[in-house]
Amino acid sequence: MKSGLSYSSILRSAIVAGLFLVACAAPTFSQSSIPTGSPTPDDKLDLIEDEMRVKRQISQAQKEHKENLNRAQLLSCLSAEVGSTFKQKHHLDRDDLKKLDKLEKLTKSIRSAAGGSDDASETKDMPADLLATITKMEEMAEALKEEVEKTPRQVISTAVIDQANVLLELIRRVRGLSART
């Protein structure tokens, strides 16, 4: 059975919760009215370990955000390649279908990183023919890339999730329409 939460969203939630707890605990420690004297070496070691752990978590979150930006860039490039190839050949070959598979995986990864999960919703106003669908797919891939680029890493973006869902529906539609031709 597939869980609704992915490992990255659980990790992201844990990082945010940890940072929140550290931020909430800081004023409590600073309000202590009884001086405790100098900290023991064990206390200093614990503080250093906590600080290093938080820095690692922040570094990991920054790395994941950069990977997501790279996915969005690759998504846009692959979509443009499929579109230009179709406009030249007027059909999709095996390489284009592989690119569609890669587009679908990248889009799902971006959606997951934005906090989304599988959504079986039907998108309205889908283009009827293959050329229009591919053109719309290219536009949505570029729009998704731009949305990912402008979204900070700490934000769960419903716009990114919604655009990813529409793009996934377009990719599936392109695959279905190309099979008929």
Side-chain angles (χ1 to χ4, degrees):
M1 183 169 95
K2 189 172 184 181
S3 174
L5 296 175
S6 68
Y7 177 75
S8 64
S9 66
I10 292 171
L11 179 63
R12 188 179 318 108
S13 297
I15 290 170
V16 170
L19 291 174
F20 179 76
L21 289 175
V22 170
C24 289
T28 305
F29 291 126
S30 65
Q31 293 177 1
S32 176
S33 61
I34 303 172
T36 59
S38 63
T40 65
D42 287 340
D43 291 341
K44 288 181 182 178
L45 186 60
D46 289 342
L47 288 174
I48 291 171
E49 288 174 358
D50 288 343
E51 183 179 344
M52 289 174 58
R53 185 178 327 107
V54 169
K55 284 183 179 180
R56 277 193 308 268
Q57 290 171 338
I58 291 170
S59 175
Q60 181 65 27
Q62 288 172 335
K63 179 183 173 190
E64 288 173 5
H65 182 67
K66 185 172 180 157
E67 288 172 356
N68 202 38
L69 290 172
N70 291 339
R71 280 187 214 109
Q73 182 66 36
L74 181 58
L75 177 87
S76 179
C77 290
L78 283 174
S79 178
E81 286 177 20
V82 170
S84 66
T85 301
F86 180 78
K87 289 170 187 165
Q88 289 173 358
K89 297 179 183 178
H90 302 292
H91 73 280
L92 297 176
D93 58 17
R94 180 180 298 196
D95 290 334
D96 295 325
L97 294 176
K98 287 181 182 180
K99 288 177 186 176
L100 284 175
D101 290 340
K102 184 70 175 170
L103 281 169
E104 187 172 16
K105 288 177 186 176
L106 289 169
T107 305
K108 286 180 179 179
S109 295
I110 290 170
R111 180 183 63 187
S112 177
S117 61
D118 289 339
D119 184 19
S121 65
E122 284 289 322
T123 306
K124 296 176 182 169
D125 301 327
M126 285 295 206
D129 67 329
L130 187 56
L131 178 60
T133 306
I134 288 175
T135 303
K136 181 75 172 173
M137 180 185 71
E138 287 180 87
E139 292 169 2
M140 286 303 299
E142 182 62 28
L144 180 59
K145 178 190 77 120
E146 291 171 3
E147 192 67 36
V148 168
E149 288 174 346
K150 75 177 186 179
T151 303
R153 70 177 165 82
Q154 303 93 339
V155 174
I156 295 176
S157 174
T158 57
V160 170
I161 295 167
D162 290 343
Q163 286 181 346
N165 286 333
V166 171
L167 183 56
L168 284 169
E169 187 64 32
L170 286 165
I171 291 168
R172 291 179 191 124
R173 183 148 176 89
V174 167
R175 193 177 291 123
L177 288 171
S178 69
R180 292 184 204 162
T181 8

